[in-house]
């Protein structure tokens, strides 16, 4: 975190806070007083360990929503923390990339970690880009001559 590249980032405090959070996380979520990810040797940080760590960022909330107009209640399931998970994966990839340059690890296992799909963001929305139609297909109607 003392490199020149890191010091030029605008969001370096957020990144530093998230990375410090990862170091303080216990290896086993059922044993909070046990060993932490910060104590784990970098070369032992494999895909499963990184996936287990970043999955802790995502929370699923279940609740009830009442429609304003009709007054009907509806059960709602919301996923919270997907963007944080994706950012954490991105930052861990950068840390492991630096570790490869410094010859601490040989493989960047964070590349294999699955990112979370975020509704309304990203690419690959098909013909619509997050609900906005970019082009309308022209119907190929036979012309009458």
């Amino acid at each position: 975190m003392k490199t020149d590249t890191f010091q030029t980032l605008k969001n370096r405090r957020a990144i530093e806070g998230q990375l410090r959070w990862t170091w303080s996380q216990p290896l086993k979520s059922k044993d909070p007083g046990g060993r932490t990810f910060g104590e784990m040797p970098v070369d032992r940080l494999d895909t499963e360990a990184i996936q287990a760590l970043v999955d802790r960022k995502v929370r699923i909330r279940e609740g009830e929503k009442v429609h304003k107009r009709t007054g009907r209640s509806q059960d709602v399931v919301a996923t919270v923390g997907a963007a944080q998970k994706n950012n954490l994966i991105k930052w861990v990839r950068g840390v492991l990339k630096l570790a490869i340059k410094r010859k601490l690890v040989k493989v960047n296992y964070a590349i294999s970690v699955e990112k979370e799909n975020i509704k309304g963001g990203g690419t690959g929305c098909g013909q619509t880009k997050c609900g906005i139609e970019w082009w309308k297909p022209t119907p190929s109607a036979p012309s009458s001559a």
Side-chain angles (χ1 to χ4, degrees):
M1 291 192 218
K2 295 183 180 183
T3 63
D4 293 334
T5 307
F6 183 76
Q7 293 299 323
T8 60
L9 296 174
K10 292 181 181 178
N11 58 346
R12 64 182 174 266
R13 288 186 183 164
I15 296 171
E16 183 178 356
Q18 291 297 318
L19 291 176
R20 289 190 188 279
W21 175 85
T22 62
W23 299 334
S24 66
Q25 288 298 303
L27 290 173
K28 297 178 182 175
S29 61
K30 295 181 181 179
D31 184 19
R35 295 176 45 202
T36 63
F37 276 92
E39 298 169 356
M40 177 186 263
V42 180
D43 60 341
R44 299 285 309 266
L45 200 61
D46 60 354
T47 305
E48 290 94 20
I50 298 169
Q51 187 72 51
L53 179 66
V54 297
D55 282 344
R56 294 180 189 175
K57 280 290 182 187
V58 178
R59 302 270 187 243
I60 297 175
R61 290 188 188 163
E62 295 180 12
E64 189 175 327
K65 181 179 177 182
V66 178
H67 194 275
K68 290 179 183 178
R69 191 170 53 103
T70 62
R72 293 184 183 171
S73 64
Q74 177 182 10
D75 291 335
V76 178
V77 178
T79 304
V80 179
Q84 289 179 341
K85 175 182 176 179
N86 290 345
N87 284 334
L88 186 58
I89 292 169
K90 178 174 60 175
W91 298 329
V92 169
R93 284 179 183 172
V95 169
L96 290 177
K97 187 176 176 182
L98 178 66
I100 288 173
K101 286 182 183 177
R102 300 227 173 138
K103 297 185 180 166
L104 298 173
V105 295
K106 295 180 181 177
V107 179
N108 189 345
Y109 288 110
I111 292 173
S112 303
V113 176
E114 292 181 28
K115 285 192 168 186
E116 208 56 39
N117 289 329
I118 300 176
K119 184 178 179 182
T123 58
C125 297
Q127 287 188 349
T128 61
K129 177 80 172 176
C130 306
I132 303 170
E133 242 183 76
W134 287 98
W135 71 88
K136 291 187 178 191
T138 56
S140 57
S143 59
S144 57

